[in-house]
Amino acid sequence: MLQTASLPAGDVESPYGEELEMYRETVRAFFRREVEPRVREFEEHGSDRAIWRKAGEYGILGATIPEEYGGAGAHRMAIMVAAEELGYAPSGATMGSFIGTDICTNFLVDHGTEEQKKAWFPGILTGDVIQAMALTEPESGSDATSIRTTAVRDGDDYVINGSKCFISNGSKADLIYAIVKTDPAAKGRGMSVILVPGDTPGVTRRRMITQGYKGGDTGEIFFDNVRVPVSNLLGEENKAMAMFIPTIGLDRMQIVARSVGAAQAAFELTVEHCRNRKIFGQRLVDFQNTQFMLAQMETEISVGRAYLDNLIRKMWAGTLTDADSSMAKIWLCELEFRTLDSCVQLWGGNGWMDENPISRMFTAARVQRIFAGATELMKSLLGRRYL
């Protein structure tokens, strides 16, 4: 179950509430003014420090950091609003997870010591500290408990050895949340989270070139006898899985919010294209087949939006279950891909050209069915309930 709070009073238009909708306006303005004009640059070189600092200036990073530490103390659903806008912005198809990794901040909020919070919160808020959650390894994806990276206690230090891959912001992160085995014999019950500064000796990174998200800074991280103080342990030793459980559902929900945002943006771009594209002396939108395809897309997106809104209300009430988030991950990510596939069909050859945002959005939609638990894993988790 996720964080409980009261549903915003008097809010009919949006289940997020007035404060989070104001946050949405800020995030949307950031993408429109700061990210979209530089998208080609980011595709070539990845995001730079300047764009992260701009995000900090806009006040969209570290939203859940409590006010006493300089943050806004926003509800955890702020990450969903940011993710939805990441999907809605055409540049989001280039930027990958980008500010979505801000979900890492919740681990510091919930489990960090005073020393850790004071050390990292200021940089997170300004954009000077880029975060990355380092969990996935070459031999462990959906099965997180099979990770092999270890952290061995040596006096007042942990010595970390192993590697991570497919890590969002992994190639540039200043703060790496390394998920390691501190008790390998205990398997999933022997995992811990250790904070590793990106410039620690023995840490090396490699930027991974991906099918989509060209500016996403996806990285591979290697730990070669990396020494960090025991004080860098986040939370309790061997309690990583317990720390992750409250966040798993939220992570799925930010992915599905992004899917809804991307589907809506793709639909709007495609309607405009169909109104302007001429073929056989008529506008593309004048053909009945086009109208039927657009009507089908709009209907499915509207149903998807209603479904998401209902789940958001469950989140406010604290009644969202793992089954709810699993079903949402299946349905809404598949909805995004169906929508983008239909959009590309209506764009024709233009939709295959990288110069058009719809092409990049189509490619980006593919990974949504893998992120935060593949569709097949979600079905498996649901299926176990029937036994």
Side-chain angles (χ1 to χ4, degrees):
M1 300 267 182
L2 295 175
Q3 179 179 347
T4 305
S6 299
L7 185 65
D11 194 295
V12 178
E13 295 295 327
S14 168
Y16 284 113
E18 183 178 356
E19 289 186 2
L20 289 181
E21 287 301 330
M22 291 174 62
Y23 177 68
R24 179 196 300 282
E25 292 177 9
T26 302
V27 177
R28 184 169 292 191
F30 166 71
F31 276 102
R32 185 177 63 252
R33 298 171 186 167
E34 310 295 342
V35 185
E36 298 289 349
R38 300 184 60 198
V39 67
R40 288 303 186 186
E41 179 185 344
F42 296 139
E43 283 185 348
E44 185 70 22
H45 304 291
S47 63
D48 57 17
R49 297 284 166 178
I51 198 64
W52 281 94
R53 293 188 180 108
K54 275 291 182 183
E57 290 176 17
Y58 273 72
I60 62 178
L61 299 175
T64 60
I65 292 175
E67 293 180 9
E68 59 263 35
Y69 297 99
H75 190 274
R76 297 294 164 88
M77 280 189 283
I79 195 65
M80 291 176 58
V81 174
E84 190 173 328
E85 290 306 307
L86 188 58
Y88 187 77
S91 59
T94 293
M95 300 303 287
S97 293
F98 191 34
I99 60 172
T101 56
D102 204 31
I103 195 171
C104 296
T105 306
N106 294 338
F107 287 90
L108 265 180
V109 171
D110 292 342
H111 305 287
T113 64
E114 280 300 303
E115 181 182 13
Q116 291 168 346
K117 292 176 180 179
K118 289 177 180 177
W120 294 109
F121 280 166
I124 291 171
L125 288 166
T126 61
D128 289 299
V129 172
I130 300 172
Q131 303 179 87
M133 181 63 67
L135 173 60
T136 304
E137 298 182 1
E139 301 299 324
S140 69
S142 296
D143 181 11
T145 62
S146 65
I147 63 169
R148 298 180 181 179
T149 299
T150 59
V152 178
R153 182 78 178 262
D154 182 21
D156 293 331
D157 292 336
Y158 282 112
V159 180
I160 304 173
N161 282 282
S163 65
K164 303 290 182 177
C165 63
F166 315 146
I167 307 303
S168 298
N169 295 330
S171 66
K172 293 181 179 176
D174 304 287
L175 176 57
I176 302 167
Y177 295 71
I179 316 304
V180 299
K181 287 281 182 68
T182 40
D183 184 2
K187 299 183 179 179
R189 295 188 300 276
M191 297 165 61
S192 300
V193 182
I194 298 178
L195 302 177
V196 180
D199 60 358
T200 304
V203 174
T204 56
R205 276 89 76 78
R206 180 179 72 88
R207 186 181 176 202
M208 304 180 79
I209 305 304
T210 56
Q211 185 180 83
Y213 291 167
K214 297 298 185 182
D217 295 326
T218 301
E220 193 170 13
I221 306 175
F222 302 91
F223 302 95
D224 184 13
N225 290 320
V226 173
R227 282 185 172 270
V228 296
V230 171
S231 59
N232 282 26
L233 176 70
L234 184 63
E236 297 180 49
E237 192 173 81
N238 301 325
K239 298 295 184 182
M241 289 305 294
M243 293 164 60
F244 267 93
I245 288 173
T247 305
I248 289 173
L250 181 61
D251 195 26
R252 292 175 191 159
M253 293 303 293
Q254 73 150 330
I255 296 295
V256 303
R258 179 172 185 162
S259 286
V260 172
Q264 181 65 43
F267 173 75
E268 292 173 5
L269 287 169
T270 301
V271 170
E272 187 65 19
H273 166 76
C274 292
R275 286 171 175 163
N276 293 319
R277 174 79 164 111
K278 292 289 186 66
I279 183 171
F280 300 120
Q282 292 181 279
R283 297 179 306 166
L284 184 57
V285 75
D286 293 326
F287 291 90
Q288 189 179 61
N289 179 68
T290 302
Q291 297 165 16
F292 281 5
M293 289 180 69
L294 292 173
Q296 182 69 30
M297 281 190 275
E298 184 177 18
T299 299
E300 291 195 5
I301 293 168
S302 295
V303 172
R305 169 65 65 184
Y307 179 31
L308 177 61
D309 286 355
N310 182 60
L311 295 176
I312 291 169
R313 292 186 175 94
K314 283 190 173 186
M315 293 174 73
W316 280 114
T319 59
L320 187 83
T321 65
D322 285 341
D324 286 327
S325 62
S326 295
M327 287 186 279
K329 181 68 171 57
I330 294 169
W331 189 255
L332 294 174
C333 291
E334 297 285 349
L335 166 65
E336 177 191 4
F337 192 74
R338 288 196 307 274
T339 301
L340 265 297
D341 186 62
S342 295
C343 288
V344 169
Q345 193 70 21
L346 287 173
W347 278 74
N350 286 319
W352 187 244
M353 298 298 107
D354 186 65
E355 66 189 43
N356 290 312
I358 206 72
S359 173
R360 299 190 298 275
M361 294 173 74
F362 171 74
T363 308
R366 185 61 187 87
V367 78
Q368 292 287 84
R369 296 153 65 191
I370 300 172
F371 265 173
T375 296
E376 291 75 18
L377 175 62
M378 298 298 101
K379 290 179 179 178
S380 178
L381 293 173
L382 290 169
R384 293 173 192 173
R385 296 157 53 248
Y386 311 138
L387 300 179

